[in-house]
Amino acid sequence: MSGGMVSISTPTLRRLPHYLREIRKMKSNGKQYVSCTKLSDITGILPITVRKDMQQAGAVGKPKTGYDVEQVIVALETALGLDNDREAILIGAGNLGYALLGYKGFNLCGVDIIAAFDSDIKKIGQEYHDKKILSLSMLEDIIERFNIKLAIIATPPEPAQKIADRLAAAGITGIWNFSPVIIKVSDEVVVQNVDLTVSLSVLLSRVSKKKKTD
Amino acid sequence: MSGGMVSISTPTLRRLPHYLREIRKMKSNGKQYVSCTKLSDITGILPITVRKDMQQAGAVGKPKTGYDVEQVIVALETALGLDNDREAILIGAGNLGYALLGYKGFNLCGVDIIAAFDSDIKKIGQEYHDKKILSLSMLEDIIERFNIKLAIIATPPEPAQKIADRLAAAGITGIWNFSPVIIKVSDEVVVQNVDLTVSLSVLLSRVSKKKKTD
DNA sequence: TAGATTGTTAATCGATTAACAATC
DNA sequence: TAGATTGTTAATCGATTAACAATC
């Protein structure tokens, strides 16, 4: 659909979901138009930044009125790749895996976890949040049979790289990695890391810096 | 202790934990020195970037030999604010909260969750991963009595802002926010967001962009 | 010594912000 | 019309990368 041949920068990509969430709220409140200044007020992001982000997302607005809510939602969803539903699998049904299996935010992104894998025989065959836990030996079979492209790694760090290798070989193109380790994959696979120790460290650093400068 | 009066940039702050993790491994393997090129090989980060990061962290190395493992660990821990232990509380004992209560990564950061809070009467009084679930009405009391400075918000988005207001008023200076909403606080409080919907959206966007350009 | 590595200074690149024109 | 808002072009800022000197 044209519109977005331009590549979207990572900082912008990170802000888009916030706009989308707020605009969806407005839509359900019956609003028809939204302006950058309005979004700026809500999110705390500078109006000019919002405008630039909208531009990158391929949204087109009308001077004075702003952006059509329906249209801008479509633009943002397309830019974020939420426009087509996706099925995902999860590897590692520990504490974090369990929480992710019950996480509702996935629906907002059009993602549905169809199965989870673990190596613990005691877990295999059980259901967590209505999702079946399968043996890791079935990994490739399920990926290929259901043509899965998206995988979530929620294992300890040690097996993460090997799991990633198996996923890539089986045809996975996107890996959401919660394991605190840097995973190396070929260029065809996209890895998005959520390293909680990194995030916590950044918080601690900022807090103690603030304390020092007081 | 001088060393680090210079403020550390966010991108650098994000990379430091990776170096720290790998250098700790080296230490336990008996290594005495580590070079930027070595760290680059392991992490995939450019050597010059590693060197610049080390500089920001206040690490001092020797030409030809590299950085003393013991010394650089101290430097990184100090830069990351991991040098003093911290007690934290958690608000919202749902799926995610439960997982966080059992998360081992906290120890690596010197953080210990001493209690969790929830509004659900059925949960109050129970123990998750050996941590007591307390009533939200006791929030301020516990924070002040134990002089807690760090809080983790793992509630749904709706109550998050109000919780944050209560936390700030009670003396919390650092908030780790897992709720998918932008929290507004005064300048004295540091908020670090872990918005899973944002992270997942970024992944989806990258995957679908890659698909288009093939 | 020679060579590898750190430390430092400069160049490049990209994101943010500012200024202003266009338009409904 | 007047004013608010988008769209666009330019300026600023900061992070990354490159080049090279210093040093063990």
Side-chain angles (χ1 to χ4, degrees), chain B residues 194-208:
Chain B
V194 182
D195 190 328
L196 295 183
T197 62
V198 169
S199 175
L200 179 55
S201 298
V202 171
L203 173 62
L204 295 177
S205 169
R206 286 186 176 146
V207 169
S208 59

mmCIF file with all atom_site columns, all heavy atoms in Angstrom, chain B residues 194-208:
data_model
loop_
_atom_site.group_PDB
_atom_site.id
_atom_site.type_symbol
_atom_site.label_atom_id
_atom_site.label_alt_id
_atom_site.label_comp_id
_atom_site.label_asym_id
_atom_site.label_entity_id
_atom_site.label_seq_id
_atom_site.pdbx_PDB_ins_code
_atom_site.Cartn_x
_atom_site.Cartn_y
_atom_site.Cartn_z
_atom_site.occupancy
_atom_site.B_iso_or_equiv
_atom_site.pdbx_formal_charge
_atom_site.auth_seq_id
_atom_site.auth_comp_id
_atom_site.auth_asym_id
_atom_site.auth_atom_id
_atom_site.pdbx_PDB_model_num
ATOM 1   N N   . VAL B 1 194 ? 9.362  -0.901  31.512 1.00 0.00 ? 194 VAL B N   1
ATOM 2   C CA  . VAL B 1 194 ? 9.501  -2.134  30.750 1.00 0.00 ? 194 VAL B CA  1
ATOM 3   C C   . VAL B 1 194 ? 8.127  -2.407  30.165 1.00 0.00 ? 194 VAL B C   1
ATOM 4   O O   . VAL B 1 194 ? 7.292  -3.062  30.781 1.00 0.00 ? 194 VAL B O   1
ATOM 5   C CB  . VAL B 1 194 ? 9.925  -3.320  31.629 1.00 0.00 ? 194 VAL B CB  1
ATOM 6   C CG1 . VAL B 1 194 ? 10.114 -4.566  30.774 1.00 0.00 ? 194 VAL B CG1 1
ATOM 7   C CG2 . VAL B 1 194 ? 11.198 -3.000  32.383 1.00 0.00 ? 194 VAL B CG2 1
ATOM 8   N N   . ASP B 1 195 ? 7.899  -1.842  28.989 1.00 0.00 ? 195 ASP B N   1
ATOM 9   C CA  . ASP B 1 195 ? 6.583  -1.998  28.374 1.00 0.00 ? 195 ASP B CA  1
ATOM 10  C C   . ASP B 1 195 ? 6.658  -3.123  27.356 1.00 0.00 ? 195 ASP B C   1
ATOM 11  O O   . ASP B 1 195 ? 7.210  -2.968  26.269 1.00 0.00 ? 195 ASP B O   1
ATOM 12  C CB  . ASP B 1 195 ? 6.173  -0.684  27.712 1.00 0.00 ? 195 ASP B CB  1
ATOM 13  C CG  . ASP B 1 195 ? 4.716  -0.707  27.267 1.00 0.00 ? 195 ASP B CG  1
ATOM 14  O OD1 . ASP B 1 195 ? 4.230  -1.795  26.898 1.00 0.00 ? 195 ASP B OD1 1
ATOM 15  O OD2 . ASP B 1 195 ? 4.076  0.360   27.277 1.00 0.00 ? 195 ASP B OD2 1
ATOM 16  N N   . LEU B 1 196 ? 6.100  -4.265  27.716 1.00 0.00 ? 196 LEU B N   1
ATOM 17  C CA  . LEU B 1 196 ? 6.219  -5.436  26.853 1.00 0.00 ? 196 LEU B CA  1
ATOM 18  C C   . LEU B 1 196 ? 5.497  -5.243  25.530 1.00 0.00 ? 196 LEU B C   1
ATOM 19  O O   . LEU B 1 196 ? 5.942  -5.751  24.501 1.00 0.00 ? 196 LEU B O   1
ATOM 20  C CB  . LEU B 1 196 ? 5.684  -6.679  27.577 1.00 0.00 ? 196 LEU B CB  1
ATOM 21  C CG  . LEU B 1 196 ? 6.490  -7.093  28.809 1.00 0.00 ? 196 LEU B CG  1
ATOM 22  C CD1 . LEU B 1 196 ? 5.931  -8.376  29.402 1.00 0.00 ? 196 LEU B CD1 1
ATOM 23  C CD2 . LEU B 1 196 ? 7.960  -7.285  28.463 1.00 0.00 ? 196 LEU B CD2 1
ATOM 24  N N   . THR B 1 197 ? 4.394  -4.490  25.527 1.00 0.00 ? 197 THR B N   1
ATOM 25  C CA  . THR B 1 197 ? 3.696  -4.279  24.258 1.00 0.00 ? 197 THR B CA  1
ATOM 26  C C   . THR B 1 197 ? 4.558  -3.444  23.307 1.00 0.00 ? 197 THR B C   1
ATOM 27  O O   . THR B 1 197 ? 4.559  -3.677  22.105 1.00 0.00 ? 197 THR B O   1
ATOM 28  C CB  . THR B 1 197 ? 2.331  -3.583  24.454 1.00 0.00 ? 197 THR B CB  1
ATOM 29  O OG1 . THR B 1 197 ? 2.529  -2.294  25.036 1.00 0.00 ? 197 THR B OG1 1
ATOM 30  C CG2 . THR B 1 197 ? 1.424  -4.399  25.364 1.00 0.00 ? 197 THR B CG2 1
ATOM 31  N N   . VAL B 1 198 ? 5.310  -2.509  23.851 1.00 0.00 ? 198 VAL B N   1
ATOM 32  C CA  . VAL B 1 198 ? 6.218  -1.717  23.023 1.00 0.00 ? 198 VAL B CA  1
ATOM 33  C C   . VAL B 1 198 ? 7.290  -2.618  22.408 1.00 0.00 ? 198 VAL B C   1
ATOM 34  O O   . VAL B 1 198 ? 7.535  -2.594  21.207 1.00 0.00 ? 198 VAL B O   1
ATOM 35  C CB  . VAL B 1 198 ? 6.890  -0.594  23.839 1.00 0.00 ? 198 VAL B CB  1
ATOM 36  C CG1 . VAL B 1 198 ? 8.026  0.045   23.048 1.00 0.00 ? 198 VAL B CG1 1
ATOM 37  C CG2 . VAL B 1 198 ? 5.865  0.465   24.225 1.00 0.00 ? 198 VAL B CG2 1
ATOM 38  N N   . SER B 1 199 ? 7.898  -3.423  23.247 1.00 0.00 ? 199 SER B N   1
ATOM 39  C CA  . SER B 1 199 ? 8.962  -4.309  22.785 1.00 0.00 ? 199 SER B CA  1
ATOM 40  C C   . SER B 1 199 ? 8.458  -5.277  21.717 1.00 0.00 ? 199 SER B C   1
ATOM 41  O O   . SER B 1 199 ? 9.099  -5.476  20.684 1.00 0.00 ? 199 SER B O   1
ATOM 42  C CB  . SER B 1 199 ? 9.524  -5.071  23.983 1.00 0.00 ? 199 SER B CB  1
ATOM 43  O OG  . SER B 1 199 ? 10.476 -6.018  23.561 1.00 0.00 ? 199 SER B OG  1
ATOM 44  N N   . LEU B 1 200 ? 7.287  -5.853  21.964 1.00 0.00 ? 200 LEU B N   1
ATOM 45  C CA  . LEU B 1 200 ? 6.726  -6.802  21.000 1.00 0.00 ? 200 LEU B CA  1
ATOM 46  C C   . LEU B 1 200 ? 6.375  -6.102  19.692 1.00 0.00 ? 200 LEU B C   1
ATOM 47  O O   . LEU B 1 200 ? 6.647  -6.618  18.603 1.00 0.00 ? 200 LEU B O   1
ATOM 48  C CB  . LEU B 1 200 ? 5.480  -7.474  21.593 1.00 0.00 ? 200 LEU B CB  1
ATOM 49  C CG  . LEU B 1 200 ? 4.760  -8.482  20.701 1.00 0.00 ? 200 LEU B CG  1
ATOM 50  C CD1 . LEU B 1 200 ? 5.690  -9.575  20.206 1.00 0.00 ? 200 LEU B CD1 1
ATOM 51  C CD2 . LEU B 1 200 ? 3.582  -9.116  21.451 1.00 0.00 ? 200 LEU B CD2 1
ATOM 52  N N   . SER B 1 201 ? 5.831  -4.910  19.777 1.00 0.00 ? 201 SER B N   1
ATOM 53  C CA  . SER B 1 201 ? 5.498  -4.144  18.577 1.00 0.00 ? 201 SER B CA  1
ATOM 54  C C   . SER B 1 201 ? 6.740  -3.869  17.742 1.00 0.00 ? 201 SER B C   1
ATOM 55  O O   . SER B 1 201 ? 6.715  -3.974  16.510 1.00 0.00 ? 201 SER B O   1
ATOM 56  C CB  . SER B 1 201 ? 4.831  -2.818  18.945 1.00 0.00 ? 201 SER B CB  1
ATOM 57  O OG  . SER B 1 201 ? 3.626  -3.042  19.630 1.00 0.00 ? 201 SER B OG  1
ATOM 58  N N   . VAL B 1 202 ? 7.823  -3.501  18.411 1.00 0.00 ? 202 VAL B N   1
ATOM 59  C CA  . VAL B 1 202 ? 9.064  -3.218  17.697 1.00 0.00 ? 202 VAL B CA  1
ATOM 60  C C   . VAL B 1 202 ? 9.540  -4.473  16.963 1.00 0.00 ? 202 VAL B C   1
ATOM 61  O O   . VAL B 1 202 ? 9.947  -4.415  15.801 1.00 0.00 ? 202 VAL B O   1
ATOM 62  C CB  . VAL B 1 202 ? 10.154 -2.708  18.668 1.00 0.00 ? 202 VAL B CB  1
ATOM 63  C CG1 . VAL B 1 202 ? 11.498 -2.616  17.967 1.00 0.00 ? 202 VAL B CG1 1
ATOM 64  C CG2 . VAL B 1 202 ? 9.763  -1.341  19.223 1.00 0.00 ? 202 VAL B CG2 1
ATOM 65  N N   . LEU B 1 203 ? 9.444  -5.602  17.622 1.00 0.00 ? 203 LEU B N   1
ATOM 66  C CA  . LEU B 1 203 ? 9.832  -6.861  16.974 1.00 0.00 ? 203 LEU B CA  1
ATOM 67  C C   . LEU B 1 203 ? 8.972  -7.124  15.740 1.00 0.00 ? 203 LEU B C   1
ATOM 68  O O   . LEU B 1 203 ? 9.495  -7.399  14.648 1.00 0.00 ? 203 LEU B O   1
ATOM 69  C CB  . LEU B 1 203 ? 9.690  -8.028  17.959 1.00 0.00 ? 203 LEU B CB  1
ATOM 70  C CG  . LEU B 1 203 ? 9.902  -9.422  17.358 1.00 0.00 ? 203 LEU B CG  1
ATOM 71  C CD1 . LEU B 1 203 ? 11.302 -9.584  16.812 1.00 0.00 ? 203 LEU B CD1 1
ATOM 72  C CD2 . LEU B 1 203 ? 9.612  -10.515 18.381 1.00 0.00 ? 203 LEU B CD2 1
ATOM 73  N N   . LEU B 1 204 ? 7.668  -7.010  15.899 1.00 0.00 ? 204 LEU B N   1
ATOM 74  C CA  . LEU B 1 204 ? 6.747  -7.282  14.787 1.00 0.00 ? 204 LEU B CA  1
ATOM 75  C C   . LEU B 1 204 ? 7.031  -6.349  13.615 1.00 0.00 ? 204 LEU B C   1
ATOM 76  O O   . LEU B 1 204 ? 7.044  -6.766  12.456 1.00 0.00 ? 204 LEU B O   1
ATOM 77  C CB  . LEU B 1 204 ? 5.300  -7.116  15.244 1.00 0.00 ? 204 LEU B CB  1
ATOM 78  C CG  . LEU B 1 204 ? 4.818  -8.113  16.296 1.00 0.00 ? 204 LEU B CG  1
ATOM 79  C CD1 . LEU B 1 204 ? 3.396  -7.796  16.709 1.00 0.00 ? 204 LEU B CD1 1
ATOM 80  C CD2 . LEU B 1 204 ? 4.923  -9.539  15.778 1.00 0.00 ? 204 LEU B CD2 1
ATOM 81  N N   . SER B 1 205 ? 7.280  -5.103  13.929 1.00 0.00 ? 205 SER B N   1
ATOM 82  C CA  . SER B 1 205 ? 7.563  -4.129  12.888 1.00 0.00 ? 205 SER B CA  1
ATOM 83  C C   . SER B 1 205 ? 8.807  -4.512  12.105 1.00 0.00 ? 205 SER B C   1
ATOM 84  O O   . SER B 1 205 ? 8.833  -4.457  10.876 1.00 0.00 ? 205 SER B O   1
ATOM 85  C CB  . SER B 1 205 ? 7.734  -2.757  13.525 1.00 0.00 ? 205 SER B CB  1
ATOM 86  O OG  . SER B 1 205 ? 8.242  -1.850  12.601 1.00 0.00 ? 205 SER B OG  1
ATOM 87  N N   . ARG B 1 206 ? 9.828  -4.928  12.836 1.00 0.00 ? 206 ARG B N   1
ATOM 88  C CA  . ARG B 1 206 ? 11.080 -5.286  12.172 1.00 0.00 ? 206 ARG B CA  1
ATOM 89  C C   . ARG B 1 206 ? 10.913 -6.526  11.306 1.00 0.00 ? 206 ARG B C   1
ATOM 90  O O   . ARG B 1 206 ? 11.458 -6.613  10.211 1.00 0.00 ? 206 ARG B O   1
ATOM 91  C CB  . ARG B 1 206 ? 12.170 -5.537  13.215 1.00 0.00 ? 206 ARG B CB  1
ATOM 92  C CG  . ARG B 1 206 ? 12.666 -4.252  13.836 1.00 0.00 ? 206 ARG B CG  1
ATOM 93  C CD  . ARG B 1 206 ? 13.839 -4.538  14.755 1.00 0.00 ? 206 ARG B CD  1
ATOM 94  N NE  . ARG B 1 206 ? 14.380 -3.288  15.293 1.00 0.00 ? 206 ARG B NE  1
ATOM 95  C CZ  . ARG B 1 206 ? 14.890 -3.162  16.503 1.00 0.00 ? 206 ARG B CZ  1
ATOM 96  N NH1 . ARG B 1 206 ? 14.948 -4.201  17.319 1.00 0.00 ? 206 ARG B NH1 1
ATOM 97  N NH2 . ARG B 1 206 ? 15.360 -2.011  16.915 1.00 0.00 ? 206 ARG B NH2 1
ATOM 98  N N   . VAL B 1 207 ? 10.161 -7.486  11.830 1.00 0.00 ? 207 VAL B N   1
ATOM 99  C CA  . VAL B 1 207 ? 9.947  -8.709  11.065 1.00 0.00 ? 207 VAL B CA  1
ATOM 100 C C   . VAL B 1 207 ? 9.186  -8.402  9.783  1.00 0.00 ? 207 VAL B C   1
ATOM 101 O O   . VAL B 1 207 ? 9.574  -8.844  8.697  1.00 0.00 ? 207 VAL B O   1
ATOM 102 C CB  . VAL B 1 207 ? 9.163  -9.750  11.899 1.00 0.00 ? 207 VAL B CB  1
ATOM 103 C CG1 . VAL B 1 207 ? 8.716  -10.909 11.019 1.00 0.00 ? 207 VAL B CG1 1
ATOM 104 C CG2 . VAL B 1 207 ? 10.015 -10.262 13.052 1.00 0.00 ? 207 VAL B CG2 1
ATOM 105 N N   . SER B 1 208 ? 8.138  -7.609  9.879  1.00 0.00 ? 208 SER B N   1
ATOM 106 C CA  . SER B 1 208 ? 7.336  -7.388  8.668  1.00 0.00 ? 208 SER B CA  1
ATOM 107 C C   . SER B 1 208 ? 8.052  -6.481  7.685  1.00 0.00 ? 208 SER B C   1
ATOM 108 O O   . SER B 1 208 ? 7.862  -6.591  6.485  1.00 0.00 ? 208 SER B O   1
ATOM 109 C CB  . SER B 1 208 ? 5.936  -6.860  9.012  1.00 0.00 ? 208 SER B CB  1
ATOM 110 O OG  . SER B 1 208 ? 6.012  -5.660  9.703  1.00 0.00 ? 208 SER B OG  1
#
